[in-house]
Amino acid sequence: MALHIHQFICLKDNFGVLVHDPEARSTAAIDAPDAAPILAALAAREWTLTDILLTHHHPDHVQGVAGLKARFPRARVTGPAREAAKIGGLDRLVGEDDEFAVGALEGRVIEVPGHTSGHVAYYFEEEDLVFVGDTMFSLGCGRAFEEPPQVLFHSLMRLAALPGETEVYCGHEYTLANAKFALGVDPLNGILRERAEDVAKLRAAGEYTLPTTIALECATNPFLRAEEPEVQASVGLPDADPVAVFAELRDRKNRA
């Protein structure tokens, strides 16, 4: 199926993402960091907003909903049932394996708690697309604000198990900083070194580093490589439980 994805920056480093089904003339916004740039992107393409898919309750992902609904009052707002009270105004509450559609595009919900307790991802299997919010970043992951590290690690492993060709859209443009950290904990990873060079060139040219893919993240993202002996040795935890290695990585990144 032909579909169009438009990605742009909102606020400082949040991504706005529009997913458009041209046949059905349906368009979804993935999260709503700021109404103004999303409305401008819609207007420039003459797209009508039909859906707003929210991944979690943090203000920089939901604060634009009111402005979007003011312009497109019929747009349906979908979000995690476990965070409905914190978000407010949801038209549809979703959880694990719930199905949804944007025009003729069919997807399902994957619960990925950790960054927040009710965080969800939106997976379009037929299109090899997943929108992960702040659970996974290119070469990184979100902070475990509302759940212990093992919960976030389990969520990341669920995403890592998706087909390698799946394209991953994340909530922020953090890849350059994440690459610096990744090189410090996985210095012998040749694929990572090459990727870090590519990331630096992209950002120097003002280009985005997303989407990434599941396969590329599994090969280069240290938070998905907690089972690898090289990463374990680098953080002083050889042969340790991968959850403990992940927790150490996340603690180091918190303090970086």
Side-chain angles (χ1 to χ4, degrees), residues 189-202:
N189 187 332
I191 301 174
L192 171 59
R193 289 198 301 272
E194 291 180 8
R195 187 177 179 200
E197 292 175 1
D198 291 342
V199 165
K201 292 176 183 176
L202 286 170

Side-chain angles (χ1 to χ4, degrees), residues 10 12 75 184 234 243 249:
C10 294
K12 180 182 178 182
S234 179
V243 172
L249 288 166

Side-chain angles (χ1 to χ4, degrees), residues 121-187:
Y122 295 98
Y123 179 41
F124 295 86
E125 184 173 6
E126 291 298 317
E127 287 71 32
D128 291 320
L129 291 169
V130 66
F131 298 91
V132 299
D134 287 1
T135 296
M136 180 192 294
F137 296 127
S138 175
L139 293 176
C141 71
R143 292 178 182 244
F145 282 126
E146 298 182 5
E147 296 290 340
Q150 60 265 32
V151 173
L152 178 57
F153 180 69
H154 175 71
S155 293
L156 289 168
M157 291 301 97
R158 295 195 69 199
L159 294 174
L162 295 175
E165 64 271 20
T166 305
E167 290 192 334
V168 182
Y169 286 83
C170 313
H172 294 265
E173 177 59 86
Y174 286 163
T175 315
L176 190 62
N178 287 345
K180 181 179 179 180
F181 176 81
L183 287 168
V185 296
D186 198 4

Side-chain angles (χ1 to χ4, degrees), residues 105-123:
L105 303 172
E106 297 180 348
R108 68 176 174 89
V109 173
I110 303 173
E111 290 188 346
V112 285
H115 182 66
T116 66
S117 293
H119 201 303
V120 298
Y122 295 98
Y123 179 41

Side-chain angles (χ1 to χ4, degrees), residues 13 16 18 26 46 86 92 94 148 158 187 198 201 243-245:
D13 51 39
L18 297 176
S26 299
E46 299 183 341
K86 293 181 178 179
R92 185 179 183 195
V94 294
R158 295 195 69 199
D198 291 342
K201 292 176 183 176
V243 172
V245 177

Side-chain angles (χ1 to χ4, degrees), residues 221-255:
N221 187 330
F223 295 98
L224 304 186
R225 291 171 48 79
E227 295 182 353
E228 296 298 322
E230 297 89 348
V231 175
Q232 294 183 348
S234 179
V235 298
L237 293 170
D239 302 317
D241 183 338
V243 172
V245 177
F246 171 80
E248 175 63 19
L249 288 166
R250 187 59 264 177
D251 184 60
R252 290 188 181 203
K253 187 65 169 67
N254 292 348
R255 294 182 280 111

